[in-house]
Amino acid sequence: MLEKLNEIESTALASLERVQDEDSLQQWKIAYLGRSAPLMQIFDQMGKLTKEERPLVGRRANEVKRALEAALAERSENMHRLALQRSLQAEKLDVTLPGRPQTLGRLHPATRTLNEITRVFGDMGFQVYRSPEVETDEINFQLLNFAVGHPAREMQDTYFVESSRERGDNPIVMRTHTSPGQIRAMREYAAENPDNPPPVRIILPGMCFRYEQVTVRHEMQFNQVEVLAVGKNITFGDLKGTISEFARRLFGQQVRTRFRASYFPFTEPSAEMDVECFVCGGAGCGVCKGSGWLEIMGCGMVHPVVLRNGGYDPARYSGFAAGMGPERVTMLRHRIEDIRSFWANDLRFLEQF
Ligand code: DAH
C-alpha cells in the first residue's frame, strides 16, 4: 500500500509537469484528485486494512493528498502568472512616447484673401451677391455693352458651352468675368420696385474662366471680386473714396492710391486704381518693377446703357463698379511668382500659408 502511494504521488507530479493549459489542468485534477482517482480508492479501501497498517497508510495517504493539492495550486498560479505576462508583453503600450502630431488643415491662400476682401467690404456696408459661372453671351457681354463682334471681346478669350452654331448670337459661355452679376443683381433689385428701384451695395465674388495659354502669369481659371454701388447722386468721388478706403483697410492705413484713365465697355469714365507698392513703400523694387505702384483693380462709373439694361433709369440713378483678382492680390502680398501654384495642389506651396 505504501509503495502504491509513492507511485501515485510520483506519477501524478510528473504528469502535472506536462500540463500546459487550463483544460489539461482540469483533467489532471479529475484524474488524480477526483472521486475515482487511485488515491481516493485507497481511502475507500482503508476499512480492509489491519489495525497496524491503517494509521501508517492513512497518514501517508493524507500526505500525498496534501502534496498533490499544493502542487496543483502552485501550477495553477504559475499558469495564470505566465498568461498575464504573455498578454502584457503582446499588448505593450509605452505611454511615455510622444503622440503622433495631428496635421491641421488650413484655408487656401486665395480663399483667405477673398475672405478678407469680403470682410472689409462687409464692414463698409456691402453684401455678397452670387451669380452663375455659366452665362449666356447676352448677359456676359451684350448687356454690358460689348456688342456682338465688339473689339473689346478680344480682351476676354472665351470658353463656349454651346456654340454660336447652335445658338446664333447668344451662345452659352463660361463667364469670363464677374461683371455679368451686375446685370443679374440690378434686375433682381429693380424687380422689387420697378418705378423706384432700391439702392445696390454689393460685391460679387467668384470663379471666372478664360481660354488662355497657361503660363506663369495667366491661368484659365481665377477668381474675381466685383463691386457695385447704384443709387441716387453717386459720383466719381464716391468711387474714389470707397475703393481707396478699401485699399487702406486691406493693405494698411498708410498706403496711398492713384487713379489712371482706362477703358472698359461697361463703365464711363473708366479707370484703374494703383496702390503704392507695399513691398518697397513706393521707392521702386522688383515686385512693382521699379515704378513704386501696383495695379490692383479696374473701375469706373456704371455706363448708362448698363444701368438701363439692369432696370435703373440713368437719368435718375448713377453708380460705380470695380473689379479685382484676389489671386493677383495674394501674389503681390506674398511675392508668389507663378500663378499656376494656386491650382496645382502642391502641399509644399499650400503649407506655407
Ligand atoms: N470685368 C473686368 C475684367 O474682367 C474687370 C472690371 C473692370 C470690372 C472695371 C469692373 C470695372 O467692374 O468697373 O477685366
Side-chain angles (χ1 to χ4, degrees):
M1 264 313 185
L2 288 173
E3 211 134 285
K4 182 119 191 261
L5 279 169
N6 288 341
E7 197 193 308
I8 288 174
E9 185 181 29
S10 54
T11 347
L13 291 178
S15 149
L16 188 59
E17 289 284 304
R18 292 190 297 272
V19 164
Q20 293 296 347
D21 55 56
E22 202 58 44
D23 274 357
S24 13
L25 194 68
Q26 282 313 311
Q27 278 162 24
W28 184 92
K29 192 175 168 186
I30 293 165
Y32 295 99
L33 289 166
R35 290 235 110 265
S36 40
L39 178 62
M40 296 308 157
Q41 281 163 20
I42 288 183
F43 279 110
D44 290 345
Q45 288 161 22
M46 290 289 252
K48 294 180 193 151
L49 296 176
T50 63
K51 240 197 188 134
E52 293 74 35
E53 278 177 319
R54 211 175 293 155
L56 292 173
V57 174
R59 191 182 314 123
R60 180 68 187 129
N62 274 320
E63 248 172 48
V64 172
K65 186 167 178 251
R66 273 196 300 277
L68 294 191
E69 281 168 352
L72 170 70
E74 193 189 311
R75 185 82 191 144
S76 159
E77 205 199 296
N78 266 343
M79 272 173 42
H80 282 137
R81 216 186 23 243
L82 269 173
L84 182 64
Q85 234 168 46
R86 226 174 291 133
S87 85
L88 283 177
Q89 274 290 318
E91 293 154 32
K92 197 150 74 176
L93 191 69
D94 185 351
V95 293
T96 66
L97 283 176
R100 293 192 189 98
Q102 294 283 328
T103 47
L104 266 190
R106 40 169 80 67
L107 290 176
H108 191 281
T111 307
R112 289 164 53 139
T113 305
L114 199 56
N115 288 351
E116 259 181 81
I117 293 172
T118 308
R119 179 185 52 77
V120 170
F121 275 113
D123 289 349
M124 294 167 75
F126 287 74
Q127 292 194 328
V128 171
Y129 187 95
R130 302 221 173 251
S131 74
E133 292 178 353
V134 178
E135 276 293 8
T136 59
D137 183 277
E138 187 184 25
I139 297 181
N140 191 80
F141 290 122
Q142 294 163 38
L143 296 172
L144 289 169
N145 219 12
F146 294 78
V148 175
H150 193 289
R153 290 188 180 218
E154 290 278 307
M155 294 154 73
Q156 305 189 3
D157 286 334
T158 308
Y159 281 116
F160 292 90
V161 177
E162 279 180 33
S163 70
S164 341
R165 212 179 312 118
E166 297 154 293
R167 294 190 37 109
D169 279 348
N170 197 17
I172 308 283
V173 303
M174 303 294 285
R175 70 171 169 200
T176 55
H177 51 172
T178 44
S179 305
Q182 292 188 24
I183 299 289
R184 289 186 175 272
M186 279 192 282
R187 286 187 170 179
E188 189 182 322
Y189 276 63
E192 276 177 31
N193 186 354
D195 296 328
N196 223 354
V200 180
R201 300 281 187 276
I202 54 167
I203 61 168
L204 305 121
M207 194 65 85
C208 305
F209 308 86
R210 286 189 200 173
Y211 183 48
E212 295 274 0
Q213 178 75 51
V214 175
T215 67
V216 172
R217 312 181 119 260
H218 295 100
E219 250 296 357
M220 57 191 206
Q221 68 175 66
F222 51 90
N223 284 287
Q224 276 191 351
V225 181
E226 190 89 7
V227 187
L228 179 68
V230 178
K232 291 183 173 143
N233 303 317
I234 291 182
T235 66
F236 199 88
D238 294 317
L239 164 62
K240 286 182 75 175
T242 306
I243 64 175
S244 297
E245 178 59 19
F246 159 77
R248 283 191 290 270
R249 291 190 186 193
L250 193 71
F251 298 114
Q253 282 303 316
Q254 73 296 341
V255 144
R256 293 195 302 161
T257 53
R258 76 175 183 190
F259 289 75
R260 285 178 291 109
S262 185
Y263 173 77
F264 301 100
F266 41 88
T267 45
E268 181 59 36
S270 303
E272 220 131 345
M273 184 187 74
D274 299 342
V275 303
E276 203 169 26
C277 180
F278 39 73
V279 175
C280 61
C285 68
V287 176
C288 60
K289 299 195 196 70
S291 73
W293 295 94
L294 300 168
E295 196 182 304
I296 295 294
M297 62 178 121
C299 59
M301 300 306 289
V302 182
H303 197 288
V305 167
V306 175
L307 283 174
R308 190 173 303 112
N309 289 339
Y312 283 75
D313 175 2
R316 292 158 57 218
Y317 289 87
S318 56
F320 67 76
M324 71 192 113
E327 283 88 358
R328 178 172 156 72
V329 171
T330 311
M331 287 174 82
L332 292 171
R333 289 174 123 186
H334 298 291
R335 289 174 236 183
I336 297 163
E337 307 209 312
D338 189 338
I339 195 170
R340 294 172 296 187
S341 307
F342 285 101
W343 315 116
N345 284 335
D346 185 335
L347 285 179
R348 291 168 301 178
F349 169 75
L350 297 171
E351 278 172 351
Q352 297 177 57
F353 299 93

